[in-house]
Amino acid sequence: MAALVGDYAIMHICKEPRRTSEHTGHTWVYEILQGHPIHCYEMFRMEKFIFHKICTELVEQGLKETKGMRVQEMVAIFLNMVGHGLGNRMLQERFQHLGETISRHIDEVLLACLKLSFKYIRPQDPMFRDCEVKIEVINDIDHFFKNGIGAIDDIHISFIVSPAEQARFIGRKSIPTQNIKVVCDWNMYFTFVLAGWEGTAHDACVFYHALTNANLNFPHPPPGFFYIDIHDL
């Protein structure tokens, strides 16, 4: 019994601290934002002013700093995960936080990003009154694009899924992927994104779901106008 109590004390009471580096995540983020512009682009995949703009936008969507972490560090953790593919353990070491803390703040930033998507991923003009083609075409085929209001395509993006779910997500890429439907206008702004479909799903099936599910708010073109399917070019 005494041995069990001793083992418990060693594991849960007299634990040796693991994240003891003096170079904390806050210090690292501050150095990057105060340093060379290229360093920020390499670490966060964006320029400094864009990083600060995103932080401001996410705060407006409800992201709040805590006693132990500022918004800039939360966003930096999220960007290192999506931009460099770092796992939780690597992020723990880089930012000197517990795994639960890392996961919780990633979820908070992701939730704010989802709210932000409703603000930006939509047509600039829901009535599509300005449908003039903004791209340069050749070989005298511009008349084919006259009433086009944008381009539509599917893309497969790899992601991690539990072994029990992998079979339906492994398609032609031989790895688990999501089949994502995207639409953009001639100004290269995304106006619709539908994510989450398994990699084995046919593009037509995903498209039909986008068209028939009213909750997704697919931007239907006005009569006489159309989207250009990239696969047909």
Side-chain angles (χ1 to χ4, degrees), residues 31-110:
E31 289 180 354
I32 290 176
L33 295 179
Q34 297 300 317
H36 196 283
I38 296 299
H39 196 194
C40 181
Y41 190 86
E42 291 174 343
M43 293 298 101
F44 302 147
R45 294 291 194 261
M46 60 184 62
E47 298 179 41
K48 292 181 183 180
F49 79 95
I50 297 178
F51 180 88
H52 289 298
K53 177 65 174 176
I54 286 180
C55 290
T56 301
E57 293 269 10
L58 293 178
V59 169
E60 293 177 357
Q61 300 303 320
L63 184 63
K64 299 178 180 179
E65 67 178 32
T66 65
K67 183 182 297 185
M69 190 179 302
R70 296 182 179 179
V71 168
Q72 289 80 2
E73 188 176 355
M74 297 179 190
V75 176
I77 292 173
F78 180 79
L79 293 176
N80 269 255
M81 181 192 70
V82 299
H84 297 282
L86 296 183
N88 189 290
R89 294 182 187 277
M90 294 297 294
L91 293 171
Q92 289 179 46
E93 185 62 30
R94 172 66 276 175
F95 292 92
Q96 295 295 297
H97 291 293
L98 296 176
E100 186 277 334
T101 303
I102 295 291
S103 295
R104 174 160 42 85
H105 288 304
I106 286 176
D107 289 344
E108 292 170 354
V109 176
L110 180 58

